[in-house]
Amino acid sequence: ERGFRGEMGRRPARCYRYCKNKPYPKSRYCRGVPDPKIRIYDLGRKKAHVDDFPFCAHLVSDEKEQLTSEALEAARVSCNKYMVKHSGKDAFHIRMRVHPFHVLRINKMLSCAGADRLQTGMRGAFGKPQGLTARVNIGQVLISVRSRESASSHVVEALRRAKYKFPGRQKVIVSNKWGFTPFTHEEYKKLQSEGKLIPDGCYVKTIPTKGRLELAYG
């Protein structure tokens, strides 16, 4: 059939690796955007009490680039599979820290018989939405995992394996903070012994030193 528009495969990620253009999010002007491949951003025992998982490690980007939603999904699956296999499904909490909001475009060309009479070349070359990607900076955290201290070696290995799903360079960094909180282990234990912490899901709140006394002294 002449003029048949065949559905091609995805372009390789190298075509969309660099942050060349301005951010182009989905909006009322940019319609018909396909759904991102990654749909789940928290895995494992995500409702675990903040005291249960003191260890934390991050996968940090070492480049300014774009990571497609397909790559993020592949890294999520890889990291989760390793952790479930080696430490059990309730011994960790993985959080994906980047979301793909930038829309990629493709200027589709026909590649069939008689296409030369139908093609416009570079006329009207603004492409149609093709996929989604996350724009990341140097030093930006991509994946965070919290767990028990006993599973620390498994966490580092799971993040190392997730690195292979991304282009560019990433680093696995072991955090000195208690889980996903902003406090180091020493600060956390000190505040806990003083009774100044209020558990708040994965995090903790500190009792303020200003304000109403009944908040501080019950």
Side-chain angles (χ1 to χ4, degrees):
E1 196 62 50
R2 279 200 176 182
F4 172 73
R5 185 175 282 230
E7 197 56 46
M8 292 163 55
R10 279 179 60 244
R11 281 183 183 172
R14 64 173 176 265
C15 303
Y16 298 106
R17 182 172 161 188
Y18 300 107
C19 297
K20 282 184 176 177
N21 306 317
K22 291 175 183 171
Y24 186 57
K26 181 178 177 180
S27 67
R28 58 184 171 163
Y29 310 109
C30 169
R31 297 179 300 276
V33 177
D35 289 334
K37 282 283 181 293
I38 183 165
R39 280 303 197 178
I40 300 167
Y41 293 88
D42 281 86
L43 300 107
R45 202 166 122 228
K46 47 187 181 273
K47 291 190 177 176
H49 193 275
V50 69
D51 290 338
D52 294 352
F53 293 154
F55 178 80
C56 180
H58 306 291
L59 185 64
V60 178
S61 173
D62 214 20
E63 290 194 30
K64 187 178 191 291
E65 60 179 351
Q66 299 186 151
L67 302 176
T68 61
S69 63
E70 287 85 358
L72 291 168
E73 173 67 4
R76 178 188 74 82
V77 169
S78 164
C79 190
N80 185 51
K81 275 241 174 81
Y82 187 88
M83 287 303 296
V84 168
K85 185 176 178 182
H86 291 87
S87 63
K89 65 180 172 61
D90 288 332
F92 64 92
H93 174 196
I94 298 171
R95 175 165 286 172
M96 303 299 293
R97 299 282 297 274
V98 290
H99 289 235
F101 290 127
H102 178 70
V103 178
L104 301 174
R105 298 190 296 264
I106 183 169
N107 181 24
K108 269 207 186 132
M109 296 283 190
L110 301 177
S111 56
C112 51
D116 50 340
R117 285 175 298 158
L118 301 165
Q119 256 174 353
T120 54
M122 288 303 288
R123 185 192 298 169
F126 194 89
K128 295 277 180 287
Q130 190 218 6
L132 287 151
T133 189
R135 293 159 75 92
V136 300
N137 283 309
I138 295 169
Q140 186 170 348
V141 178
L142 306 176
I143 306 172
S144 295
V145 185
R146 64 185 181 124
S147 73
R148 300 189 189 97
E149 291 288 354
S150 57
S152 59
S153 59
H154 298 317
V155 171
V156 171
E157 175 61 16
L159 290 175
R160 189 191 71 82
R161 289 179 177 221
K163 279 202 296 188
Y164 291 113
K165 308 299 178 188
F166 294 131
R169 194 164 80 160
Q170 293 80 30
K171 288 179 178 171
V172 176
I173 292 178
V174 174
S175 172
N176 64 351
K177 303 286 193 278
W178 184 285
F180 291 165
T181 69
F183 306 112
T184 62
H185 284 239
E186 294 75 35
E187 288 169 344
Y188 187 88
K189 283 174 181 166
K190 181 172 179 287
L191 289 166
Q192 197 174 37
S193 64
E194 292 168 2
K196 288 186 177 174
L197 293 180
I198 307 167
D200 185 33
C202 304
Y203 309 98
V204 283
K205 290 178 184 171
T206 49
I207 291 170
T209 50
K210 292 182 175 181
R212 286 166 30 214
L213 288 172
E214 59 262 31
L215 288 176
Y217 298 105

